[in-house]
Amino acid sequence: MSKTPELHDASVAERYIGLRVGNVFTIDALVGTGSSGHVFRANQAGLVRPAAIKVMHRSFLASEEMRARFHREARITSRVIHPAVVPVLMTGELPNAPPTEGEAFIVYEFVSGSTLREVIRKRSLRLPQIIGILIAAAEGVGAAHRVGVVHRDLKPENLMLLGDEHGAMQLRILDFGLARVSEVTEAPLTHTGAVLGTPEYLSPEGARGQPATARSDVYSLAIIAYECLTGAPPFVGTSPIRVLMQQMEGDVPPLRALLDLGEIPSLITDVVCKNLAKAPEQRAADALEFATMLRHAATRSQTAVESCGPTTDLWQTAGSLDPAPPPTAQPHEPPGALPRNR
């Protein structure tokens, strides 16, 4: 996560360390800062496990839209039930009384590992690991697609890799803060024509400010695949505008794999390049189809795949289970996180 100039980390930590949230979680450390809020590690009462609490920046307190975005992120993320998607445990608002000022918050399961960005920089991945990571990411995003959720901000920073004592990797998908749903039950918080996402991973239609679809996420996954294989995304530039122009009009540079990976089977590179098509209808319909294409290409080319998580056979969707939305703190609780009264 990037640092923002809003406050020095020590000052932020001093405000929140020791705070009890929802009468369940106690904040014990600041772990990162993003564009919309600070992320803290917390301990859950009665259980020996940590949680991650994202607290809205105080500079956004006057913004009802930003407050709505926080709660919308929690609702949207809770729709997706898949081992690769970090679950939401609670959402609410802190008390509007010192030391807090009614900040919105979301509680997630805490995950600790390395982002795919960090791993790519080390250039330590082997081809079987790369294919496994891409399939796991596509299956997790595909679970979101099957319940009408489009992520809209897929990039290596939002894919976390966790290792276990046996050296096996598990993947987690982070940050559904820009996600949208394709149903009318969620009112859009952005206007058509707004460019949302990270330019290097944004689809051509996204660069034009057009609505994102599942095929837009597939394009972002193909960009990530290209970067895993070559060490860099296909389009870079000295300014975001230059990158967006390349996304819309530029030809994808030939995929020249890192020397350490050896020769990449053409069946695999063909899948990546096909899903970098400018026209959305020429890409896979959703991320699950993209995962299937990668798996078939690996099988046909006799390329080993190192598993990076459960397969699609093990995931279930919110559509089939009809889960309750993430809990919110209740007004009758003692000092802690309470919903904001309006």
Side-chain angles (χ1 to χ4, degrees), residues 234-286:
F235 301 120
V236 295
T238 56
S239 71
I241 295 298
R242 288 182 181 273
V243 177
L244 293 175
M245 290 300 297
Q246 291 180 79
Q247 297 286 22
M248 291 185 285
E249 302 174 359
D251 294 330
V252 177
L255 198 159
R256 296 188 176 91
L258 294 167
L259 292 178
D260 292 346
L261 294 178
E263 185 175 353
I264 307 298
S266 60
L267 287 169
I268 291 174
T269 59
D270 287 349
V271 169
V272 175
C273 293
K274 171 181 171 58
N275 288 285
L276 289 174
K278 302 297 183 188
E281 63 272 14
Q282 295 178 7
R283 305 176 208 140
D286 62 20

Side-chain angles (χ1 to χ4, degrees), residues 80-146:
V80 187
I81 299 177
H82 187 278
V85 177
V86 178
V88 172
L89 305 179
M90 178 181 285
T91 185
E93 295 181 6
L94 299 173
N96 190 11
T100 57
E101 298 179 9
E103 303 94 315
F105 71 86
I106 307 173
V107 183
Y108 288 97
E109 176 186 279
F110 186 86
V111 294
S112 179
S114 299
T115 66
L116 182 57
R117 164 71 62 226
E118 294 167 331
V119 175
I120 289 174
R121 285 174 178 159
K122 295 177 181 177
R123 298 198 173 187
S124 58
L125 291 173
R126 297 174 286 106
L127 183 59
Q129 292 175 311
I130 291 173
I131 303 303
I133 289 168
L134 295 173
I135 289 173
E139 289 182 341
V141 175
H145 290 168
R146 292 299 165 94

Side-chain angles (χ1 to χ4, degrees), residues 4-274:
T4 68
E6 186 195 44
L7 282 173
H8 189 274
D9 285 355
S11 300
V12 172
E14 186 176 342
R15 288 178 176 176
Y16 298 100
I17 299 303
L19 186 69
R20 196 165 176 83
V21 177
N23 202 34
V24 176
F25 306 95
T26 302
I27 292 176
D28 64 13
L30 175 70
V31 296
T33 299
S35 59
S36 62
H38 304 293
V39 179
F40 298 89
R41 187 185 66 220
N43 290 314
Q44 184 171 354
L47 297 174
V48 186
R49 69 172 186 181
I53 302 182
K54 181 178 178 180
V55 179
M56 181 177 72
H57 286 314
R58 289 191 175 182
S59 57
F60 295 133
L61 284 173
S63 172
E64 288 301 317
E65 178 175 340
M66 183 57 69
R67 192 181 299 277
R69 281 184 185 278
F70 250 71
H71 297 312
R72 185 172 182 271
E73 176 182 343
R75 290 195 305 273
I76 287 177
T77 305
S78 69
R79 292 169 65 106
V80 187
I81 299 177
H82 187 278
V85 177
V86 178
V88 172
L89 305 179
M90 178 181 285
T91 185
E93 295 181 6
L94 299 173
N96 190 11
T100 57
E101 298 179 9
E103 303 94 315
F105 71 86
I106 307 173
V107 183
Y108 288 97
E109 176 186 279
F110 186 86
V111 294
S112 179
S114 299
T115 66
L116 182 57
R117 164 71 62 226
E118 294 167 331
V119 175
I120 289 174
R121 285 174 178 159
K122 295 177 181 177
R123 298 198 173 187
S124 58
L125 291 173
R126 297 174 286 106
L127 183 59
Q129 292 175 311
I130 291 173
I131 303 303
I133 289 168
L134 295 173
I135 289 173
E139 289 182 341
V141 175
H145 290 168
R146 292 299 165 94
V147 292
V149 175
V150 180
H151 190 286
R152 297 203 294 180
D153 196 24
L154 292 168
K155 54 188 176 182
E157 289 84 350
N158 285 339
L159 299 177
M160 181 78 76
L161 293 170
L162 293 68
D164 62 20
E165 64 273 19
H166 306 295
M169 286 193 299
Q170 296 285 318
L171 179 134
R172 298 290 185 272
I173 301 166
L174 310 177
D175 200 352
F176 278 77
L178 290 184
R180 65 179 292 272
V181 293
S182 56
E183 302 173 3
V184 296
T185 53
E186 284 283 354
L189 292 177
T190 56
H191 305 287
T192 300
V195 175
L196 294 173
T198 305
E200 288 79 5
Y201 304 92
L202 196 61
S203 66
E205 59 272 21
R208 294 187 180 94
Q210 298 170 350
T213 68
R215 295 178 193 265
S216 306
D217 278 351
V218 168
Y219 184 92
S220 300
L221 288 168
I223 292 273
I224 294 170
Y226 186 104
E227 183 171 2
C228 286
L229 295 171
T230 68
F235 301 120
V236 295
T238 56
S239 71
I241 295 298
R242 288 182 181 273
V243 177
L244 293 175
M245 290 300 297
Q246 291 180 79
Q247 297 286 22
M248 291 185 285
E249 302 174 359
D251 294 330
V252 177
L255 198 159
R256 296 188 176 91
L258 294 167
L259 292 178
D260 292 346
L261 294 178
E263 185 175 353
I264 307 298
S266 60
L267 287 169
I268 291 174
T269 59
D270 287 349
V271 169
V272 175
C273 293
K274 171 181 171 58

